[in-house]
Amino acid sequence: MHLLTEAHNNDHVGLSEHQPVTSIGWKAGISAELKQINEYTRLGKTSHYGPLRIQRPFWPEGKDLAHLYILHPPGGLVAGDELVQQFSVCKGAKGLVTTPAAGKVYFNGNGQLQKQITEISVSENGSMEWLPQETILFNGAIAELNTQIELSGNGLYAGWDIVCLGRTASGEQFIQGQLTQNLRITRDQKPIYLERLHFDAASSFTNSLLGLHGHTVFGTLLMTRDKSPDLSTLHSLLEEKEWHHVTAITWRAGVFIARYLGDSSEQARNIFTWLWEQERERFNGRSGCRPRIWNT
């Protein structure tokens, strides 16, 4: 793998407001710009600090859409850690970003927040597909996951997040800890999707019919669309696959929304990947192309 391992002061792309000023926790950040140059989507300015890197882009779908992998060698967040991920997609550029493994938020022994910030901006005629692996909250984690997407003009965004509470395969439940999630999508500075989730593991939310209803895995897939997809056909196909019991789909204000609520991160990934492949041609004119790293 070829990694971007050098940070250039002259190539700084907006990390200063997140740059750590204390030694509490392990701070890491990366900022990358995607630019269209001679019909190629290439990396422009980049900067990073701490143990967070990005693999150099490659083009399995053609030169105009770059695939990138985010690499975080520690593999997870302990108390006081903060990860900052920033991507700027310039006019006409197209990118797909994923991760090679699940993110982990470990047991928190001192109450300091474990935080991840993702900021993506997409300019006119650009697109970003943000397809990370799931995030696993270990029992006792205190996590805050913030995602902000800024679209300009007809810029496009597709992305998902999947959260696993505890490690059920190992018999560990999420009975202690907290999660806060913030998700915001704007177009030309006007909000088109806003969501905030906050709950304590010991609250009634985890078992309530209006909450998680005892389930341990939940996720959201979002794709910007000018027109509603064929929800009826998609729902019929979900029924054929017997996925309709754990999946809900809708379209509102230019955003296709799919929800998963169940007990299997693998199932959530399979459903979201299938929906992404079904709708991708109408999203950006391409058929599905799964990142190769998912096969390792």
Side-chain angles (χ1 to χ4, degrees):
M1 290 184 176
H2 300 287
L3 309 182
L4 289 174
T5 57
E6 299 180 1
H8 302 286
N9 292 332
N10 293 332
D11 289 345
H12 181 74
V13 191
L15 281 174
S16 60
E17 61 187 280
H18 298 294
Q19 188 78 23
V21 295
T22 70
S23 60
I24 298 174
W26 203 348
K27 315 297 183 182
I30 190 161
S31 179
E33 181 185 61
L34 289 173
K35 301 181 71 174
Q36 187 183 58
I37 302 174
N38 296 327
E39 298 184 351
Y40 265 95
T41 291
R42 298 187 181 275
L43 273 176
K45 299 177 181 179
T46 64
S47 61
H48 72 83
Y49 58 86
L52 194 62
R53 301 291 187 271
I54 188 166
Q55 184 177 341
R56 292 187 186 276
F58 57 101
W59 299 267
E61 303 185 67
K63 62 185 180 181
D64 62 327
L65 192 152
H67 284 217
L68 304 109
Y69 302 155
I70 294 178
L71 306 177
H72 182 229
L77 302 176
V78 300
D81 282 2
E82 179 181 276
L83 290 184
V84 179
Q85 305 167 128
Q86 296 175 318
F87 289 89
S88 177
V89 182
C90 298
K91 184 176 180 179
K94 299 174 176 60
L96 184 155
V97 180
T98 188
T99 57
K104 302 174 183 66
V105 186
Y106 296 116
F107 172 80
N108 191 318
N110 61 22
Q112 295 179 13
L113 195 63
Q114 296 149 282
K115 192 170 184 178
Q116 178 175 289
I117 299 168
T118 303
E119 298 174 345
I120 298 171
S121 64
V122 184
S123 298
E124 183 82 19
N125 295 325
S127 72
M128 170 61 87
E129 293 168 276
W130 175 254
L131 311 177
Q133 305 267 15
E134 67 271 20
T135 299
I136 303 172
L137 301 188
F138 285 46
N139 187 42
I142 304 176
E144 182 176 306
L145 309 175
N146 296 315
T147 302
Q148 180 166 314
I149 314 299
E150 297 181 0
L151 306 176
S152 297
N154 62 357
L156 298 174
Y157 170 78
W160 64 50
D161 66 84
I162 300 169
V163 175
C164 307
L165 302 178
R167 295 175 294 165
T168 54
S170 302
E172 178 189 273
Q173 296 180 316
F174 189 68
I175 58 176
Q176 176 187 352
Q178 296 178 359
L179 171 64
T180 301
Q181 272 189 299
N182 295 296
L183 176 57
R184 176 183 178 91
I185 303 178
T186 62
R187 185 179 297 281
D188 298 326
Q189 301 182 342
K190 297 180 180 179
I192 60 173
Y193 187 93
L194 301 174
E195 181 171 302
R196 176 176 171 82
L197 170 68
H198 174 78
F199 73 91
D200 189 290
S203 72
S204 61
F205 178 82
T206 56
N207 292 304
S208 168
L209 284 171
L210 299 178
L212 300 180
H213 199 197
H215 293 295
T216 59
V217 179
F218 59 92
T220 302
L221 163 67
L222 303 172
M223 301 179 74
T224 57
R225 291 279 305 271
D226 288 337
K227 298 180 180 179
S228 173
D230 187 344
L231 297 177
S232 178
T233 297
L234 281 176
H235 191 269
S236 295
L237 293 171
L238 288 168
E239 285 185 326
E240 290 179 10
K241 294 176 175 292
E242 298 184 350
W243 286 341
H244 61 294
H245 297 296
V246 293
T247 311
I249 55 175
T250 189
W251 179 82
R252 294 178 62 85
V255 182
F256 171 56
I257 306 165
R259 304 279 197 183
Y260 174 87
L261 181 60
D263 298 290
S264 169
S265 60
E266 181 180 9
Q267 184 184 52
R269 287 196 310 272
N270 288 340
I271 293 172
F272 283 178
T273 300
W274 179 82
L275 285 168
W276 168 68
E277 290 175 333
Q278 291 292 308
E279 293 303 308
R280 195 177 188 223
E281 185 173 353
R282 285 169 287 275
F283 168 73
N284 63 4
R286 298 175 180 270
S287 58
C289 179
R290 301 188 184 193
R292 291 181 295 181
I293 198 70
W294 292 354
N295 299 323
T296 61

